[in-house]
């Protein structure tokens, strides 16, 4: 049988065959040349190739002459934060997360990193984004709007006259209470209203002034204040007059510089920092109690005088490690409050969360109690005459564990814990801080600690569906 395989084999033209033979010969020559080189020289060539490859990968392009901040060919890099990154180790700041990071490098396994932050380069952007430009313009408009002639929109009277007439006409029993509200009226919900309700549960003859532009309106009167006014309770919403409240305090000059654009407001909302300063100035000018709107009262403040609360303590020493400014109880013109205002004006930083609030009061009190350079003798220190209450007084549960107060018990062990914690709060606490930033989305479950506390502290919502629907 004939083999036809050869007859079907494709024949390569002679010119192409000749070219392929020449290429094969050239390749063999190169390999022969490389193999004939000394080993050290061959290693040097490989090292140069590796160095070139690494340089092409890690080169940083500095766009000094470019119209755009970064070349289009530049690849994104990822900064991987350490696996132990948490709110507790943010250089003392508990919340919110840091917006600026140092240039330090962190090396961890990628799957353990809780956060990835994309950047376009290892160098900061030179151009300011449109978003940041708009934010700065908006901030300047807000600063310009802080006029010295702020008039209460609801009462059509200056702040000073409105507040004075309110206190005089109501014949308020002490203590007097102050709240501030810098957000929209829409965000003042049932939980905030219940905070006011619980205040009057234990202080029915006291007065409450809510310093807020949004609350001082017909809508604020009808939607928030009317139920309290119908019961004869003394509550007033008034727009802030910063110039009047800050006058004759160290805050006066700072505020003037702010309005002139000579103080950098920073990245944190200006209203938040103004609230930190406003509460201090109100207490210094009028005296009384400042309290945040995310507090539920469980006991009367009538016996408290010149106190501030510790948020945390050092378990080893038993001494406080951090104070908080969510509750402040001080007499008019108290020297410690004046020190707080001085500290705000001299160390203001609008880009560090807590720096002008909780950490401010912690710095000042620590300096007064433990720095020998502050006072010439012990008598100077005695004039401050204030007390620090432990965490159970105002902060019986830390923000990181606040969810435990909203959950109902599932077994006998949890039920006993709820009863024990509830007894401790009723015995040791004056208010319970709800830490709204962490708990505002939590539902109050039936049989939870908050459920019991709200039933103890209600005035006119006790028989309504409010408690179960918050």
């Amino acid at each position: 049988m004939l083999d036809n395989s050869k007859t079907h084999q494709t024949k390569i033209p002679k010119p192409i065959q000749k070219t392929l033979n020449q290429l094969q010969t050239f390749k063999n020559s190169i390999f022969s040349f490389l193999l004939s080189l000394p080993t050290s020289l061959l290693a040097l060539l490989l090292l140069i190739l590796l160095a070139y490859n690494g340089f092409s990968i890690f080169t940083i392009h500095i766009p000094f002459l470019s119209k755009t901040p970064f070349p289009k060919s530049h690849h994104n890099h990822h900064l991987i934060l350490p696996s132990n990154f948490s709110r507790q180790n943010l250089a003392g700041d508990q919340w919110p997360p840091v917006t600026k990071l140092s240039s330090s490098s962190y090396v961890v396994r990628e799957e353990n990193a809780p956060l990835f932050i994309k950047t376009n380069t290892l160098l900061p952007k030179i151009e300011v984004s449109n978003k940041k430009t708009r934010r700065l313009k908006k901030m300047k408009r807000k600063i310009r709007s802080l006029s010295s002639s702020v008039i209460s929109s609801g009462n059509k009277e200056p702040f000073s006259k409105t507040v004075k007439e309110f206190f005089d006409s109501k014949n308020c029993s002490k203590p007097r209470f102050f709240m501030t509200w810098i957000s929209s009226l829409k965000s003042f919900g049932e939980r905030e209203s219940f905070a006011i309700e619980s205040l009057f549960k234990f202080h029915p003859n006291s007065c409450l002034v809510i310093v807020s532009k949004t609350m001082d309106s017909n809508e604020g009167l009808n939607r928030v204040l009317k139920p309290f006014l119908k019961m004869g309770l003394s509550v007033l919403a008034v727009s802030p007059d910063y110039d009047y409240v800050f006058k004759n305090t160290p805050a006066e000059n700072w505020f003037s510089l702010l309005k002139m654009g000579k103080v950098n407001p920073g990245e944190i909302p200006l209203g938040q920092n103004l609230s930190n300063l406003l509460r201090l100035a109100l207490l210094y000018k009028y005296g009384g109690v400042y309290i945040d709107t995310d507090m539920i009262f469980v006991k009367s403040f009538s016996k408290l005088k010149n106190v501030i609360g510790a948020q945390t303590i050092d378990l080893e020493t038993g001494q406080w490690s951090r104070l908080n400014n969510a509750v402040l109880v001080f007499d008019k013109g108290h020297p410690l409050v004046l020190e707080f205002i001085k500290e705000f004006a001299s160390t203001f930083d609008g880009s560090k969360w807590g720096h002008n609030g909780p950490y401010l009061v912690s710095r000042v009190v620590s300096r007064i109690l433990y720095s020998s350079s502050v006072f010439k003798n012990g008598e100077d220190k005695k004039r401050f005459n204030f007390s620090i209450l432990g965490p159970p007084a105002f902060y019986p549960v830390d923000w990181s564990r606040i969810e435990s107060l909203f959950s109902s018990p599932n077994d006998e062990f949890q039920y006993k814990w709820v009863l024990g914690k509830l007894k401790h709060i009723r015995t040791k606490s004056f208010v319970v801080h709800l830490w709204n930033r962490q708990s505002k989305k939590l539902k109050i479950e039936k049989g939870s600690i908050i459920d019991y506390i709200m039933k103890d502290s209600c005035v006119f919502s006790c028989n309504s569906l409010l408690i179960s629907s918050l």
Side-chain angles (χ1 to χ4, degrees), residues 178 180 245-246 249-251 273-291 308 324-334 336-345 355-358 360-361 364:
F178 292 92
T180 62
V245 178
F246 296 159
T249 75
N273 280 317
L274 284 177
S275 174
N276 285 325
L277 181 57
L278 185 60
R279 69 189 66 180
L280 299 175
L282 287 169
L283 289 184
Y284 187 71
K285 192 168 289 280
Y286 293 102
V289 178
Y290 169 81
I291 191 159
I308 189 171
N324 200 305
N325 66 337
V327 183
L328 300 169
V329 185
F330 286 99
D331 292 336
K332 177 181 177 179
H334 196 279
L336 180 60
V337 180
L338 181 62
E339 292 298 318
F340 290 156
I341 298 174
K342 288 180 181 178
E343 180 75 6
F344 186 102
H355 177 82
N356 313 299
L360 180 150
V361 295
V364 173

Side-chain angles (χ1 to χ4, degrees), residues 48 53 234 342 350 449:
I48 292 173
N53 183 57
S234 301
K342 288 180 181 178
I449 293 176

Side-chain angles (χ1 to χ4, degrees), residues 344-357:
F344 186 102
S346 61
T347 68
F348 175 80
D349 189 328
S351 297
K352 291 182 180 179
W353 186 91
H355 177 82
N356 313 299

